[in-house]
């Protein structure tokens, strides 16, 4: 996914307020052994991108004044009640260094598992994302959790899910993290 940004020299609260009034969002790009760079982005494309799941868990091509570099979204701040992105943080990606990030979980086959067919049980998702560590080339867009074999009263844990090659779960304790339960 491509994101376009521009360097900014204005710093401080007043400058950030002026940027937001001009329909741009202040941000910063850091990491990768380079100095941090203050940037500004067009608000509307950024707002629509933030509302997409893939934007949060994939490597982005950030173009700053015509120079592209790979980054991941680290953090963003939203206005308390308006649909306005107040600030965004990006971290540079280094190809040979592990990346620690949270990726979403996609639950499948919950409607055909024995618990929902026989007893009319409900599937309760305990968490919707999981922390992982991997090289940037191994970063999955999401992790699939198959609920097809769950019976009433059963719980599926992070240890029960097969992670993609090169991906290690960082949520501790790794074996005890409950992902979903079937309520009787």
């Amino acid at each position: 996914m491509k994101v376009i940004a521009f360097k900014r020299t204005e710093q401080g609260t007043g400058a950030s307020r002026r940027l937001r009034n001009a329909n741009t969002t202040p941000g910063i790009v850091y990491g990768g052994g380079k100095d941090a760079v203050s940037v500004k982005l067009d608000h509307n494309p950024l707002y629509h991108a933030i509302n997409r799941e893939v934007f949060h868990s994939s490597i982005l091509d950030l173009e700053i004044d015509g120079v592209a570099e790979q980054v991941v979204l680290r953090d963003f701040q939203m206005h308390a009640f308006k649909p306005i992105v107040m600030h965004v943080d990006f971290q540079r990606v280094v190809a040979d260094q592990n990346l620690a990030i949270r990726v979403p979980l996609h639950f499948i086959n919950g409607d055909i598992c024995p618990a929902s067919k026989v007893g009319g049980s409900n599937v309760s998702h305990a968490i919707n994302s999981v922390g992982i560590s991997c090289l940037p080339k191994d970063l999955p867009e999401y992790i699939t959790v198959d609920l097809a074999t769950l019976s009433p009263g059963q719980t599926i844990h992070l240890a029960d899910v097969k992670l993609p090659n090169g991906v290690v779960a960082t949520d501790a304790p790794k074996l005890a993290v409950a992902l979903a339960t079937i309520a009787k």
Side-chain angles (χ1 to χ4, degrees):
M1 181 176 265
K2 185 176 180 180
V3 181
I4 297 174
F6 306 95
K7 284 186 181 176
R8 66 179 166 104
T9 56
E10 315 87 21
Q11 301 290 324
T13 306
S16 293
R17 187 176 301 118
R18 286 187 292 277
L19 284 174
R20 289 185 200 102
N21 287 339
N23 205 27
T24 57
T25 301
I28 190 162
V29 181
Y30 57 84
K34 299 179 184 176
D35 290 336
V37 176
S38 297
V39 295
K40 57 185 175 183
L41 301 94
D42 288 332
H43 179 268
N44 290 343
L46 177 65
Y47 176 76
H48 291 297
I50 282 178
N51 288 325
R52 295 179 57 204
E53 180 182 73
V54 68
F55 190 74
H56 297 266
S57 62
S58 63
I59 297 174
L60 309 170
D61 292 321
L62 181 68
E63 184 180 310
I64 304 172
D65 292 336
V67 178
E69 52 188 335
Q70 292 188 326
V71 298
V72 291
L73 178 68
R74 255 315 152 199
D75 194 19
F76 66 96
Q77 292 80 39
M78 296 291 292
H79 190 276
F81 57 90
K82 294 179 184 176
I84 297 174
V85 182
M86 302 295 283
H87 192 272
V88 66
D89 295 355
F90 295 104
Q91 180 183 357
R92 290 183 188 95
V93 173
V94 179
D96 60 345
Q97 290 181 0
N98 274 358
L99 182 65
I101 194 167
R102 293 195 74 77
V103 295
L105 297 172
H106 284 194
F107 296 92
I108 61 170
N109 297 327
D111 54 342
I112 63 168
C113 69
S116 63
K117 282 187 162 185
V118 175
S121 300
N122 292 328
V123 177
S124 175
H125 300 173
I127 59 175
N128 292 321
S129 65
V130 65
I132 63 165
S133 176
C134 65
L135 289 174
K137 67 178 181 63
D138 297 328
L139 181 64
E141 185 178 325
Y142 57 86
I143 295 175
T144 303
V145 179
D146 191 0
L147 305 175
T149 60
L150 290 183
S151 302
Q154 219 176 2
T155 301
I156 188 164
H157 295 90
L158 184 55
D160 302 329
V161 176
K162 178 161 176 23
L163 297 174
N165 290 337
V167 176
V168 178
T170 58
D171 285 349
K174 296 175 185 84
L175 300 177
V177 177
L179 303 180
T181 57
I182 304 292
K184 292 181 181 182

